[in-house]
Amino acid sequence: MKAVFLDAATLGEDVDLSPIENITGGLTCHPRTKPDQVIQRIRGFDTVLVNKVVLNREHFEACPELKTIAVVATGLNNIDLGAAKAHDIKVMNVTNYGRSTVAQHTMALILALATRLLDYNRDARNGQWAKSDMFCLMDYPIMELEGKTLGIVGYGDLGQGVAERAKAFGMNIVLGCRPGQEPGEVDGYPRVPLDDLLKQADVLSLHCLLTEETRHMIGARELELMKSSALLINTSRGGLVDEVALADALRNGDIAGAGFDVLTEEPPRNGNPLLADAIPNLILTPHSAWASREARQRIVEITARNLGSGA
């Protein structure tokens, strides 16, 4: 096996790549690869590892020796799967590596918004607390999670992890139907049509893949159906939500807050509606929910097992 990793820097410098090196018998690593460098760098290799580098028909036609693509992530949006199949190239990805860390990040966003943590921290540090005429500040409404309804759309490994943790906080779990899903019951939780879930959820957390069916699954109409006291959390894919509609909904008080780890364009070099000033009770993190060292090392180990088994 002759293997090259085109964007090794995306896994960080603190992970141990030796499990992959041991399976492949060596690994050529490039920290990053620009689109015009791809063909030159994969030529002569039968195995290519990528995270976000795009591989398509042009690359496959130019490099007929390529037999395997190992994506060190779950999403396969950057791979032309049809062209890979036509060229008899096996594509493998990594699943079930980030349950603990993504669920942890999701709960952190929920808790920070529910307690207005950033607002109270700011006012404690900028002198507002010192000016108070009593022992505390109570300027921002705090939501107690116990007894509240958490709606989860996308009940795979990550959604299940969030449900487990939210249940420990005493929340009631209700699942929402993704496009094409039928109502019913899963793991003892009711799964209801999305519109019904939007009307009852105190917190809505998204854990779906981005497809043509799920793109802008939450738009202006859906946001209007939500409670004005509700929170929207997205640690999945930015395109699931119409970001212009969300910015408007937060400014207008149609929902109470949002916590996002993802945006439609990443990094947002061309700006984004959610990066505008004066959007209240919005927390943004830079697609970091997955990035604990433990999770990144798990990606390496799963990739090595995939390559070893030919999965």
Side-chain angles (χ1 to χ4, degrees), residues 143-162:
M143 175 194 293
E144 186 174 272
L145 295 183
E146 185 167 1
K148 297 299 191 295
T149 295
L150 171 65
I152 296 176
V153 185
Y155 189 65
D157 188 58
L158 301 181
Q160 292 168 29
V162 171

Side-chain angles (χ1 to χ4, degrees), residues 2 42-46 63 65:
K2 192 175 181 184
I42 68 174
R43 185 168 282 137
F45 290 92
D46 55 66
C63 304
E65 63 274 22

Side-chain angles (χ1 to χ4, degrees), residues 188-236:
Y189 301 130
R191 185 165 66 194
V192 302
L194 180 58
D195 282 5
D196 293 348
L197 178 63
L198 295 172
K199 295 172 185 176
Q200 61 179 291
D202 297 294
V203 181
L204 180 67
S205 191
L206 306 180
H207 301 281
C208 304
L209 293 176
L210 179 62
T211 65
E212 287 308 308
E213 290 72 29
T214 61
R215 187 179 301 277
H216 284 190
M217 180 174 62
I218 305 297
R221 187 189 75 85
E222 289 74 21
L223 290 163
E224 289 176 2
L225 292 176
M226 296 177 68
K227 298 178 180 181
S228 61
S229 58
L231 306 174
L232 174 61
I233 309 296
N234 187 4
T235 56
S236 188

Side-chain angles (χ1 to χ4, degrees), residues 98-178:
R99 181 180 182 128
S100 293
T101 191
V102 174
Q104 172 180 298
H105 194 97
T106 300
M107 292 306 301
L109 291 173
I110 294 172
L111 289 165
L113 290 165
T115 60
R116 300 299 291 265
L117 186 71
L118 299 187
D119 297 302
Y120 280 118
N121 174 68
R122 182 191 63 237
D123 284 0
R125 296 175 65 87
N126 69 10
Q128 291 300 110
W129 188 16
K131 298 174 185 176
S132 177
D133 58 3
M134 60 178 182
F135 71 98
C136 68
L137 294 179
M138 294 187 292
D139 296 344
Y140 309 103
I142 294 172
M143 175 194 293
E144 186 174 272
L145 295 183
E146 185 167 1
K148 297 299 191 295
T149 295
L150 171 65
I152 296 176
V153 185
Y155 189 65
D157 188 58
L158 301 181
Q160 292 168 29
V162 171
E164 290 173 356
R165 287 151 181 80
K167 192 173 181 181
F169 280 88
M171 300 190 78
N172 301 314
I173 312 299
V174 180
L175 310 180
C177 295
R178 299 196 316 273

